[in-house]
PDB file of all heavy atoms in Angstrom:
ATOM      1  N   SER Z  57      18.715  37.431  91.788  1.00  0.00           N
ATOM      2  CA  SER Z  57      19.636  36.617  92.577  1.00  0.00           C
ATOM      3  C   SER Z  57      20.439  37.513  93.509  1.00  0.00           C
ATOM      4  O   SER Z  57      20.773  38.650  93.158  1.00  0.00           O
ATOM      5  CB  SER Z  57      20.597  35.851  91.666  1.00  0.00           C
ATOM      6  OG  SER Z  57      21.300  36.756  90.847  1.00  0.00           O
ATOM      7  N   PRO Z  58      20.730  37.041  94.694  1.00  0.00           N
ATOM      8  CA  PRO Z  58      21.476  37.888  95.639  1.00  0.00           C
ATOM      9  C   PRO Z  58      22.854  38.229  95.101  1.00  0.00           C
ATOM     10  O   PRO Z  58      23.534  37.401  94.520  1.00  0.00           O
ATOM     11  CB  PRO Z  58      21.563  37.017  96.900  1.00  0.00           C
ATOM     12  CG  PRO Z  58      21.370  35.617  96.420  1.00  0.00           C
ATOM     13  CD  PRO Z  58      20.434  35.723  95.256  1.00  0.00           C
ATOM     14  N   ALA Z  59      23.245  39.457  95.282  1.00  0.00           N
ATOM     15  CA  ALA Z  59      24.562  39.905  94.811  1.00  0.00           C
ATOM     16  C   ALA Z  59      25.650  39.214  95.611  1.00  0.00           C
ATOM     17  O   ALA Z  59      25.521  39.017  96.822  1.00  0.00           O
ATOM     18  CB  ALA Z  59      24.682  41.423  94.963  1.00  0.00           C
ATOM     19  N   PRO Z  60      26.747  38.787  94.928  1.00  0.00           N
ATOM     20  CA  PRO Z  60      27.838  38.119  95.670  1.00  0.00           C
ATOM     21  C   PRO Z  60      28.491  39.080  96.647  1.00  0.00           C
ATOM     22  O   PRO Z  60      28.580  40.281  96.406  1.00  0.00           O
ATOM     23  CB  PRO Z  60      28.807  37.703  94.553  1.00  0.00           C
ATOM     24  CG  PRO Z  60      28.512  38.636  93.421  1.00  0.00           C
ATOM     25  CD  PRO Z  60      27.040  38.941  93.498  1.00  0.00           C
ATOM     26  N   ALA Z  61      28.937  38.518  97.738  1.00  0.00           N
ATOM     27  CA  ALA Z  61      29.602  39.331  98.746  1.00  0.00           C
ATOM     28  C   ALA Z  61      30.911  39.855  98.182  1.00  0.00           C
ATOM     29  O   ALA Z  61      31.575  39.184  97.402  1.00  0.00           O
ATOM     30  CB  ALA Z  61      29.859  38.502 100.004  1.00  0.00           C
ATOM     31  N   PRO Z  62      31.290  41.075  98.530  1.00  0.00           N
ATOM     32  CA  PRO Z  62      32.568  41.607  98.024  1.00  0.00           C
ATOM     33  C   PRO Z  62      33.731  40.760  98.478  1.00  0.00           C
ATOM     34  O   PRO Z  62      33.747  40.241  99.591  1.00  0.00           O
ATOM     35  CB  PRO Z  62      32.629  43.015  98.644  1.00  0.00           C
ATOM     36  CG  PRO Z  62      31.708  42.957  99.819  1.00  0.00           C
ATOM     37  CD  PRO Z  62      30.630  41.996  99.438  1.00  0.00           C
ATOM     38  N   PHE Z  63      34.703  40.603  97.573  1.00  0.00           N
ATOM     39  CA  PHE Z  63      35.847  39.742  97.868  1.00  0.00           C
ATOM     40  C   PHE Z  63      36.738  40.392  98.918  1.00  0.00           C
ATOM     41  O   PHE Z  63      37.133  41.551  98.790  1.00  0.00           O
ATOM     42  CB  PHE Z  63      36.661  39.486  96.594  1.00  0.00           C
ATOM     43  CG  PHE Z  63      37.944  38.757  96.828  1.00  0.00           C
ATOM     44  CD1 PHE Z  63      37.934  37.446  97.246  1.00  0.00           C
ATOM     45  CD2 PHE Z  63      39.160  39.382  96.627  1.00  0.00           C
ATOM     46  CE1 PHE Z  63      39.111  36.751  97.455  1.00  0.00           C
ATOM     47  CE2 PHE Z  63      40.341  38.710  96.842  1.00  0.00           C
ATOM     48  CZ  PHE Z  63      40.310  37.389  97.250  1.00  0.00           C
ATOM     49  N   ASP Z  64      37.016  39.645  99.954  1.00  0.00           N
ATOM     50  CA  ASP Z  64      37.907  40.110 101.007  1.00  0.00           C
ATOM     51  C   ASP Z  64      39.144  39.223 101.004  1.00  0.00           C
ATOM     52  O   ASP Z  64      39.096  38.084 101.466  1.00  0.00           O
ATOM     53  CB  ASP Z  64      37.214  40.047 102.366  1.00  0.00           C
ATOM     54  CG  ASP Z  64      38.113  40.548 103.491  1.00  0.00           C
ATOM     55  OD1 ASP Z  64      39.205  41.054 103.186  1.00  0.00           O
ATOM     56  OD2 ASP Z  64      37.717  40.425 104.666  1.00  0.00           O
ATOM     57  N   PRO Z  65      40.261  39.681 100.453  1.00  0.00           N
ATOM     58  CA  PRO Z  65      41.433  38.807 100.325  1.00  0.00           C
ATOM     59  C   PRO Z  65      42.026  38.402 101.654  1.00  0.00           C
ATOM     60  O   PRO Z  65      42.797  37.452 101.726  1.00  0.00           O
ATOM     61  CB  PRO Z  65      42.420  39.655  99.512  1.00  0.00           C
ATOM     62  CG  PRO Z  65      41.999  41.063  99.755  1.00  0.00           C
ATOM     63  CD  PRO Z  65      40.518  41.029  99.932  1.00  0.00           C
ATOM     64  N   THR Z  66      41.715  39.111 102.734  1.00  0.00           N
ATOM     65  CA  THR Z  66      42.285  38.769 104.039  1.00  0.00           C
ATOM     66  C   THR Z  66      41.348  37.911 104.868  1.00  0.00           C
ATOM     67  O   THR Z  66      41.666  37.587 106.009  1.00  0.00           O
ATOM     68  CB  THR Z  66      42.625  40.049 104.820  1.00  0.00           C
ATOM     69  OG1 THR Z  66      41.418  40.787 105.057  1.00  0.00           O
ATOM     70  CG2 THR Z  66      43.587  40.923 104.050  1.00  0.00           C
ATOM     71  N   ALA Z  67      40.199  37.547 104.300  1.00  0.00           N
ATOM     72  CA  ALA Z  67      39.248  36.787 105.108  1.00  0.00           C
ATOM     73  C   ALA Z  67      39.795  35.432 105.512  1.00  0.00           C
ATOM     74  O   ALA Z  67      39.471  34.909 106.578  1.00  0.00           O
ATOM     75  CB  ALA Z  67      37.945  36.602 104.330  1.00  0.00           C
ATOM     76  N   PHE Z  68      40.651  34.841 104.652  1.00  0.00           N
ATOM     77  CA  PHE Z  68      41.169  33.513 104.955  1.00  0.00           C
ATOM     78  C   PHE Z  68      42.116  33.536 106.144  1.00  0.00           C
ATOM     79  O   PHE Z  68      42.379  32.521 106.758  1.00  0.00           O
ATOM     80  CB  PHE Z  68      41.882  32.927 103.734  1.00  0.00           C
ATOM     81  CG  PHE Z  68      43.280  33.431 103.549  1.00  0.00           C
ATOM     82  CD1 PHE Z  68      44.366  32.614 103.766  1.00  0.00           C
ATOM     83  CD2 PHE Z  68      43.525  34.733 103.151  1.00  0.00           C
ATOM     84  CE1 PHE Z  68      45.654  33.059 103.594  1.00  0.00           C
ATOM     85  CE2 PHE Z  68      44.802  35.183 102.977  1.00  0.00           C
ATOM     86  CZ  PHE Z  68      45.869  34.345 103.197  1.00  0.00           C
ATOM     87  N   LEU Z  69      42.626  34.722 106.482  1.00  0.00           N
ATOM     88  CA  LEU Z  69      43.561  34.795 107.594  1.00  0.00           C
ATOM     89  C   LEU Z  69      42.882  34.463 108.906  1.00  0.00           C
ATOM     90  O   LEU Z  69      43.484  33.914 109.821  1.00  0.00           O
ATOM     91  CB  LEU Z  69      44.172  36.203 107.672  1.00  0.00           C
ATOM     92  CG  LEU Z  69      44.972  36.648 106.447  1.00  0.00           C
ATOM     93  CD1 LEU Z  69      45.470  38.067 106.646  1.00  0.00           C
ATOM     94  CD2 LEU Z  69      46.147  35.728 106.211  1.00  0.00           C
ATOM     95  N   ALA Z  70      41.602  34.812 109.008  1.00  0.00           N
ATOM     96  CA  ALA Z  70      40.911  34.610 110.273  1.00  0.00           C
ATOM     97  C   ALA Z  70      40.579  33.150 110.520  1.00  0.00           C
ATOM     98  O   ALA Z  70      40.399  32.746 111.662  1.00  0.00           O
ATOM     99  CB  ALA Z  70      39.631  35.449 110.297  1.00  0.00           C
ATOM    100  N   VAL Z  71      40.478  32.357 109.455  1.00  0.00           N
ATOM    101  CA  VAL Z  71      40.066  30.965 109.621  1.00  0.00           C
ATOM    102  C   VAL Z  71      41.211  30.000 109.354  1.00  0.00           C
ATOM    103  O   VAL Z  71      41.021  28.794 109.456  1.00  0.00           O
ATOM    104  CB  VAL Z  71      38.890  30.637 108.678  1.00  0.00           C
ATOM    105  CG1 VAL Z  71      37.683  31.484 109.028  1.00  0.00           C
ATOM    106  CG2 VAL Z  71      39.274  30.871 107.224  1.00  0.00           C
ATOM    107  N   ALA Z  72      42.371  30.513 108.986  1.00  0.00           N
ATOM    108  CA  ALA Z  72      43.493  29.623 108.693  1.00  0.00           C
ATOM    109  C   ALA Z  72      43.924  28.897 109.955  1.00  0.00           C
ATOM    110  O   ALA Z  72      44.009  29.501 111.030  1.00  0.00           O
ATOM    111  CB  ALA Z  72      44.666  30.416 108.124  1.00  0.00           C
ATOM    112  N   PRO Z  73      44.166  27.587 109.868  1.00  0.00           N
ATOM    113  CA  PRO Z  73      44.609  26.852 111.056  1.00  0.00           C
ATOM    114  C   PRO Z  73      45.992  27.298 111.486  1.00  0.00           C
ATOM    115  O   PRO Z  73      46.864  27.575 110.662  1.00  0.00           O
ATOM    116  CB  PRO Z  73      44.609  25.397 110.583  1.00  0.00           C
ATOM    117  CG  PRO Z  73      44.793  25.489 109.092  1.00  0.00           C
ATOM    118  CD  PRO Z  73      44.093  26.742 108.667  1.00  0.00           C
ATOM    119  N   THR Z  74      46.192  27.388 112.749  1.00  0.00           N
ATOM    120  CA  THR Z  74      47.485  27.768 113.304  1.00  0.00           C
ATOM    121  C   THR Z  74      48.111  26.533 113.922  1.00  0.00           C
ATOM    122  O   THR Z  74      47.567  25.953 114.863  1.00  0.00           O
ATOM    123  CB  THR Z  74      47.323  28.867 114.363  1.00  0.00           C
ATOM    124  OG1 THR Z  74      46.708  29.999 113.742  1.00  0.00           O
ATOM    125  CG2 THR Z  74      48.670  29.279 114.913  1.00  0.00           C
ATOM    126  N   GLY Z  75      49.255  26.117 113.389  1.00  0.00           N
ATOM    127  CA  GLY Z  75      49.940  24.945 113.915  1.00  0.00           C
ATOM    128  C   GLY Z  75      50.687  25.288 115.189  1.00  0.00           C
ATOM    129  O   GLY Z  75      50.795  26.438 115.599  1.00  0.00           O
ATOM    130  N   SER Z  76      51.163  24.271 115.824  1.00  0.00           N
ATOM    131  CA  SER Z  76      51.946  24.457 117.039  1.00  0.00           C
ATOM    132  C   SER Z  76      53.270  23.731 116.882  1.00  0.00           C
ATOM    133  O   SER Z  76      53.391  22.767 116.121  1.00  0.00           O
ATOM    134  CB  SER Z  76      51.192  23.917 118.259  1.00  0.00           C
ATOM    135  OG  SER Z  76      51.077  22.515 118.208  1.00  0.00           O
ATOM    136  N   LEU Z  77      54.258  24.221 117.584  1.00  0.00           N
ATOM    137  CA  LEU Z  77      55.570  23.598 117.515  1.00  0.00           C
ATOM    138  C   LEU Z  77      55.525  22.186 118.084  1.00  0.00           C
ATOM    139  O   LEU Z  77      56.228  21.281 117.595  1.00  0.00           O
ATOM    140  CB  LEU Z  77      56.574  24.456 118.281  1.00  0.00           C
ATOM    141  CG  LEU Z  77      58.051  24.135 118.079  1.00  0.00           C
ATOM    142  CD1 LEU Z  77      58.440  24.267 116.620  1.00  0.00           C
ATOM    143  CD2 LEU Z  77      58.913  25.048 118.943  1.00  0.00           C
ATOM    144  N   ASP Z  78      54.699  21.973 119.071  1.00  0.00           N
ATOM    145  CA  ASP Z  78      54.607  20.653 119.683  1.00  0.00           C
ATOM    146  C   ASP Z  78      54.113  19.607 118.689  1.00  0.00           C
ATOM    147  O   ASP Z  78      54.683  18.518 118.580  1.00  0.00           O
ATOM    148  CB  ASP Z  78      53.685  20.720 120.904  1.00  0.00           C
ATOM    149  CG  ASP Z  78      53.623  19.405 121.664  1.00  0.00           C
ATOM    150  OD1 ASP Z  78      54.642  19.017 122.268  1.00  0.00           O
ATOM    151  OD2 ASP Z  78      52.559  18.766 121.628  1.00  0.00           O
ATOM    152  N   THR Z  79      53.061  19.937 117.935  1.00  0.00           N
ATOM    153  CA  THR Z  79      52.549  18.989 116.947  1.00  0.00           C
ATOM    154  C   THR Z  79      53.492  18.877 115.751  1.00  0.00           C
ATOM    155  O   THR Z  79      53.616  17.814 115.144  1.00  0.00           O
ATOM    156  CB  THR Z  79      51.157  19.419 116.464  1.00  0.00           C
ATOM    157  OG1 THR Z  79      51.234  20.760 115.950  1.00  0.00           O
ATOM    158  CG2 THR Z  79      50.162  19.392 117.602  1.00  0.00           C
ATOM    159  N   GLY Z  80      54.166  19.980 115.399  1.00  0.00           N
ATOM    160  CA  GLY Z  80      55.084  19.935 114.276  1.00  0.00           C
ATOM    161  C   GLY Z  80      56.293  19.062 114.521  1.00  0.00           C
ATOM    162  O   GLY Z  80      56.897  18.551 113.580  1.00  0.00           O
ATOM    163  N   LEU Z  81      56.656  18.862 115.789  1.00  0.00           N
ATOM    164  CA  LEU Z  81      57.822  18.042 116.124  1.00  0.00           C
ATOM    165  C   LEU Z  81      57.437  16.608 116.487  1.00  0.00           C
ATOM    166  O   LEU Z  81      58.284  15.865 117.006  1.00  0.00           O
ATOM    167  CB  LEU Z  81      58.578  18.675 117.297  1.00  0.00           C
ATOM    168  CG  LEU Z  81      59.315  19.982 116.990  1.00  0.00           C
ATOM    169  CD1 LEU Z  81      59.880  20.578 118.272  1.00  0.00           C
ATOM    170  CD2 LEU Z  81      60.420  19.767 115.973  1.00  0.00           C
ATOM    171  N   GLU Z  82      56.229  16.219 116.222  1.00  0.00           N
ATOM    172  CA  GLU Z  82      55.765  14.894 116.620  1.00  0.00           C
ATOM    173  C   GLU Z  82      56.607  13.783 115.991  1.00  0.00           C
ATOM    174  O   GLU Z  82      56.991  12.818 116.660  1.00  0.00           O
ATOM    175  CB  GLU Z  82      54.295  14.726 116.238  1.00  0.00           C
ATOM    176  CG  GLU Z  82      53.695  13.378 116.623  1.00  0.00           C
ATOM    177  CD  GLU Z  82      53.722  13.122 118.121  1.00  0.00           C
ATOM    178  OE1 GLU Z  82      53.585  14.094 118.895  1.00  0.00           O
ATOM    179  OE2 GLU Z  82      53.901  11.950 118.514  1.00  0.00           O
ATOM    180  N   ARG Z  83      56.910  13.896 114.704  1.00  0.00           N
ATOM    181  CA  ARG Z  83      57.702  12.848 114.044  1.00  0.00           C
ATOM    182  C   ARG Z  83      59.118  12.783 114.605  1.00  0.00           C
ATOM    183  O   ARG Z  83      59.652  11.696 114.848  1.00  0.00           O
ATOM    184  CB  ARG Z  83      57.758  13.101 112.537  1.00  0.00           C
ATOM    185  CG  ARG Z  83      56.447  12.861 111.810  1.00  0.00           C
ATOM    186  CD  ARG Z  83      56.668  12.884 110.318  1.00  0.00           C
ATOM    187  NE  ARG Z  83      55.433  12.632 109.582  1.00  0.00           N
ATOM    188  CZ  ARG Z  83      55.351  12.520 108.263  1.00  0.00           C
ATOM    189  NH1 ARG Z  83      56.443  12.617 107.524  1.00  0.00           N
ATOM    190  NH2 ARG Z  83      54.196  12.301 107.673  1.00  0.00           N
ATOM    191  N   THR Z  84      59.722  13.937 114.797  1.00  0.00           N
ATOM    192  CA  THR Z  84      61.080  13.956 115.354  1.00  0.00           C
ATOM    193  C   THR Z  84      61.098  13.388 116.760  1.00  0.00           C
ATOM    194  O   THR Z  84      62.003  12.623 117.131  1.00  0.00           O
ATOM    195  CB  THR Z  84      61.614  15.394 115.368  1.00  0.00           C
ATOM    196  OG1 THR Z  84      61.695  15.869 114.015  1.00  0.00           O
ATOM    197  CG2 THR Z  84      62.991  15.459 115.992  1.00  0.00           C
ATOM    198  N   ARG Z  85      60.110  13.728 117.538  1.00  0.00           N
ATOM    199  CA  ARG Z  85      60.062  13.277 118.925  1.00  0.00           C
ATOM    200  C   ARG Z  85      59.812  11.769 119.015  1.00  0.00           C
ATOM    201  O   ARG Z  85      60.379  11.079 119.872  1.00  0.00           O
ATOM    202  CB  ARG Z  85      58.973  14.050 119.672  1.00  0.00           C
ATOM    203  CG  ARG Z  85      59.000  13.864 121.177  1.00  0.00           C
ATOM    204  CD  ARG Z  85      58.109  14.874 121.884  1.00  0.00           C
ATOM    205  NE  ARG Z  85      56.796  14.986 121.291  1.00  0.00           N
ATOM    206  CZ  ARG Z  85      56.334  16.089 120.698  1.00  0.00           C
ATOM    207  NH1 ARG Z  85      57.100  17.153 120.618  1.00  0.00           N
ATOM    208  NH2 ARG Z  85      55.141  16.123 120.166  1.00  0.00           N
ATOM    209  N   SER Z  86      58.974  11.256 118.125  1.00  0.00           N
ATOM    210  CA  SER Z  86      58.608   9.838 118.206  1.00  0.00           C
ATOM    211  C   SER Z  86      59.700   8.913 117.684  1.00  0.00           C
ATOM    212  O   SER Z  86      59.650   7.704 117.945  1.00  0.00           O
ATOM    213  CB  SER Z  86      57.307   9.595 117.423  1.00  0.00           C
ATOM    214  OG  SER Z  86      57.485   9.897 116.052  1.00  0.00           O
ATOM    215  N   THR Z  87      60.664   9.421 116.976  1.00  0.00           N
ATOM    216  CA  THR Z  87      61.740   8.572 116.449  1.00  0.00           C
ATOM    217  C   THR Z  87      63.092   8.996 117.020  1.00  0.00           C
ATOM    218  O   THR Z  87      63.688   8.302 117.839  1.00  0.00           O
ATOM    219  CB  THR Z  87      61.759   8.628 114.915  1.00  0.00           C
ATOM    220  OG1 THR Z  87      61.833   9.993 114.487  1.00  0.00           O
ATOM    221  CG2 THR Z  87      60.506   8.008 114.330  1.00  0.00           C
ATOM    222  N   PHE Z  88      63.579  10.126 116.581  1.00  0.00           N
ATOM    223  CA  PHE Z  88      64.910  10.595 116.951  1.00  0.00           C
ATOM    224  C   PHE Z  88      65.063  10.726 118.473  1.00  0.00           C
ATOM    225  O   PHE Z  88      65.983  10.155 119.084  1.00  0.00           O
ATOM    226  CB  PHE Z  88      65.168  11.927 116.242  1.00  0.00           C
ATOM    227  CG  PHE Z  88      66.427  12.636 116.681  1.00  0.00           C
ATOM    228  CD1 PHE Z  88      67.636  11.968 116.744  1.00  0.00           C
ATOM    229  CD2 PHE Z  88      66.391  13.975 117.027  1.00  0.00           C
ATOM    230  CE1 PHE Z  88      68.791  12.622 117.139  1.00  0.00           C
ATOM    231  CE2 PHE Z  88      67.536  14.634 117.419  1.00  0.00           C
ATOM    232  CZ  PHE Z  88      68.737  13.956 117.481  1.00  0.00           C
ATOM    233  N   ILE Z  89      64.162  11.436 119.114  1.00  0.00           N
ATOM    234  CA  ILE Z  89      64.291  11.680 120.551  1.00  0.00           C
ATOM    235  C   ILE Z  89      64.012  10.417 121.354  1.00  0.00           C
ATOM    236  O   ILE Z  89      64.689  10.139 122.364  1.00  0.00           O
ATOM    237  CB  ILE Z  89      63.371  12.829 120.980  1.00  0.00           C
ATOM    238  CG1 ILE Z  89      63.795  14.128 120.283  1.00  0.00           C
ATOM    239  CG2 ILE Z  89      63.400  13.020 122.484  1.00  0.00           C
ATOM    240  CD1 ILE Z  89      65.217  14.561 120.586  1.00  0.00           C
ATOM    241  N   ASN Z  90      63.035   9.632 120.941  1.00  0.00           N
ATOM    242  CA  ASN Z  90      62.740   8.393 121.673  1.00  0.00           C
ATOM    243  C   ASN Z  90      63.925   7.425 121.634  1.00  0.00           C
ATOM    244  O   ASN Z  90      64.247   6.766 122.634  1.00  0.00           O
ATOM    245  CB  ASN Z  90      61.494   7.726 121.099  1.00  0.00           C
ATOM    246  CG  ASN Z  90      60.212   8.370 121.612  1.00  0.00           C
ATOM    247  OD1 ASN Z  90      60.244   9.225 122.503  1.00  0.00           O
ATOM    248  ND2 ASN Z  90      59.083   7.969 121.054  1.00  0.00           N
TER     249      ASN Z  90
END
Side-chain angles (χ1 to χ4, degrees):
S57 57
F63 173 67
D64 181 7
T66 62
F68 81 109
L69 299 178
V71 297
T74 301
S76 68
L77 193 59
D78 185 68
T79 56
L81 290 173
E82 181 61 34
R83 289 191 179 184
T84 297
R85 191 168 47 245
S86 62
T87 54
F88 172 49
I89 297 300
N90 280 352

